Amino acid sequence: MFTRNLRVFFRRYSQTCTFRTSELSPAQHSENQIGLFYTIDKNLCKQLFGHGGLPKSYMKQTKTFTETTLMVRLPALDVINCIKNTDFDKPAVRYVLYGEKGAGKSLTMAHLLHYAHEQEFLIVHVPWVSEWLRRVPRHKEMANSPTKEGFVDLPLDAAAWLLHFKTQNQTLEYTWSKRESTSQGAPLLELVELGIARVKYACDVIDALVHEIKLLSNNKCCKTFVAIDGFNSFFYPLTRLRTPTKRTVSPEEVSLTTSFLTLTKNDWTNGVVVVTADQLAVPEDHQESYLPKYLLYKKGFEHLDPFVPIEVGRYSEREFLTCASYYRDRLWLRGPSELEDELKFTSACNPYKFMELCAPL
């Protein structure tokens, strides 16, 4: 009995080693770990992604698997290596993650956010721009901006984002310059809490926060990591927002758009900007190509130019086999081993399609 149990243990241990890495620090990940999964601590996951950042389908999977894991992939390693070699005295470098639907852009962003947190960057993260502009609830609160004529505020969305910002950066402390609403030398956190408590002014607080963050970065008080998923949604001509007179609001008329476009300029230093260009961030009538030049339109492309394009592609042979092994370990995939060849053909090695096809098996 003991010998049989020992064989079972070593067989399981051997299988585990084929798809996991014990290296949990993104800063230490290298090409040796490509295709392997690493586990994110539960509390850290809640801090970084408790208010968004992981796809809903993936979140359901993590609950089923009772753990949050990310695969180490080359696009994330490429950006991390670039950041490690960045001269932060120069203007902020912009990176654009792009690729077909379901290739893993958001999870690559999650890997980079973990790295930024570990390296003590001040994180400015927008989980999904379309939540503001495209996915509009029936009774979404919208108001005319009290400080910017002709602009529209989304106060509840702005307050929710400030809470997200506060949670992600709860372990960091910075000071900021004197403003009317707070005392001199007050923590940056005080400005954030003002916007959370006074929802009506949350959009103006974000505007002020962006200004302060750029000043802090320029003055070497902090390193800033800006991450925006679905960035191209800012440049699609129309939103689903409607004024009381039923007029459609354009992205340029939304105050949040102005704030985050200001932050993604390269007129400041000591920072990194990573955005995604995603077909799912815009309506189906503008999903013919996943290339940045198409999705960002001329205005968005020129806004980011120059930038470093990083393609997130389908699984390689090694990544597919590793993922299949992980799914079998989590009992997400069952059946004979020959089934994997069929799944590889059917999914075309697209990570999301592969996950979906395995669900009922």
Side-chain angles (χ1 to χ4, degrees):
M1 177 68 73
F2 175 78
T3 304
R4 187 179 65 184
N5 290 341
L6 196 62
R7 283 201 302 268
V8 171
F9 170 80
F10 278 113
R11 183 169 68 250
R12 289 179 177 175
Y13 179 80
S14 176
Q15 290 173 345
T16 299
C17 289
T18 62
F19 59 81
R20 289 188 194 271
T21 174
S22 59
E23 182 54 72
L24 305 183
S25 169
Q28 300 303 318
H29 289 158
S30 66
E31 292 186 0
N32 295 328
Q33 282 93 28
I34 288 180
L36 301 182
F37 288 88
Y38 80 98
T39 305
I40 302 179
D41 177 76
K42 183 178 179 180
N43 292 328
L44 178 60
C45 187
K46 186 176 181 180
Q47 177 184 342
L48 291 179
F49 310 114
H51 296 277
L54 297 176
K56 292 180 180 178
S57 57
Y58 182 78
M59 288 297 294
K60 290 181 181 178
Q61 180 180 280
T62 60
K63 291 180 180 179
T64 303
F65 291 176
T66 67
E67 63 177 4
T68 301
T69 58
L70 293 176
M71 180 186 284
V72 180
R73 302 191 67 193
L74 186 58
L77 294 184
D78 285 343
V79 178
I80 289 172
N81 289 331
C82 286
I83 294 174
K84 288 179 178 178
N85 293 285
T86 294
D87 181 356
F88 285 97
D89 291 327
K90 300 290 179 63
V93 178
R94 280 85 60 87
Y95 300 88
V96 177
L97 304 178
Y98 71 98
E100 66 181 22
K101 301 174 188 176
K105 296 179 289 297
S106 295
L107 295 184
T108 297
M109 182 77 85
H111 193 174
L112 296 174
L113 284 166
H114 186 187
Y115 170 79
H117 169 79
E118 187 183 65
Q119 298 301 306
E120 297 187 338
F121 279 81
L122 178 69
I123 297 175
V124 183
H125 174 223
V126 179
W128 192 238
V129 176
S130 290
E131 289 288 346
W132 296 340
L133 306 179
R134 301 294 316 161
R135 297 178 181 176
V136 182
R138 186 176 179 183
H139 301 293
K140 191 178 187 75
E141 183 170 335
M142 187 174 63
N144 292 326
S145 172
T147 56
K148 296 180 180 178
E149 186 176 353
F151 281 83
V152 168
D153 282 351
L154 305 175
L156 293 180
D157 289 316
W161 183 85
L162 286 169
L163 181 60
H164 178 54
F165 174 83
K166 175 185 174 182
T167 304
Q168 284 189 319
N169 296 289
Q170 61 188 11
T171 56
L172 301 177
E173 291 184 3
Y174 297 106
T175 60
W176 65 294
S177 61
K178 182 178 180 181
R179 302 196 71 87
E180 292 181 4
S181 57
T182 61
S183 59
Q184 185 173 7
L188 189 64
L189 180 61
E190 190 172 325
L191 177 63
V192 176
E193 290 180 339
L194 173 68
I196 296 172
R198 303 287 299 277
V199 175
K200 180 179 178 180
Y201 303 106
C203 290
D204 287 334
V205 166
I206 290 178
D207 211 30
L209 184 65
V210 165
H211 176 72
E212 295 299 333
I213 287 172
K214 293 176 77 169
L215 282 178
L216 287 168
S217 294
N218 284 331
N219 294 331
K220 311 300 180 187
C221 296
C222 66
K223 291 187 300 182
T224 302
F225 184 87
V226 179
I228 303 179
D229 207 351
F231 183 73
N232 53 302
S233 190
F234 282 134
F235 302 98
Y236 186 78
L238 300 174
T239 70
R240 291 183 63 191
L241 300 171
R242 302 289 186 273
T243 65
T245 59
K246 306 299 182 183
R247 183 179 66 83
T248 301
V249 177
S250 68
E252 293 86 356
E253 296 175 293
V254 179
S255 55
L256 287 174
T257 299
T258 304
S259 298
F260 288 100
L261 290 189
T262 298
L263 195 58
T264 51
K265 293 179 179 179
N266 65 339
D267 57 355
W268 55 288
T269 61
N270 216 28
V272 176
V273 177
V274 182
V275 304
T276 69
D278 197 315
Q279 290 166 291
L280 295 176
V282 293
E284 292 183 359
D285 64 0
H286 196 71
Q287 295 183 7
E288 295 179 3
S289 171
Y290 62 77
L291 297 177
K293 192 169 185 179
Y294 174 80
L295 290 174
L296 290 167
Y297 288 88
K298 181 180 179 181
K299 186 174 181 179
F301 193 89
E302 291 178 350
H303 174 82
L304 289 174
D305 191 40
F307 63 84
V308 180
I310 303 288
E311 183 173 7
V312 181
R314 301 177 183 181
Y315 280 151
S316 65
E317 177 79 17
R318 177 184 177 184
E319 289 172 336
F320 180 85
L321 294 175
T322 299
C323 190
S325 297
Y326 178 59
Y327 283 171
R328 285 192 179 277
D329 178 77
R330 298 284 98 184
L331 304 181
W332 190 251
L333 172 61
R334 304 185 187 188
S337 57
E338 295 79 13
L339 184 64
E340 292 173 17
D341 292 331
E342 184 177 342
L343 288 169
K344 182 181 177 182
F345 175 78
T346 308
S347 68
C349 290
N350 178 285
Y352 177 75
K353 290 180 181 177
F354 181 41
M355 180 188 71
E356 269 199 324
L357 289 170
C358 291
L361 298 177

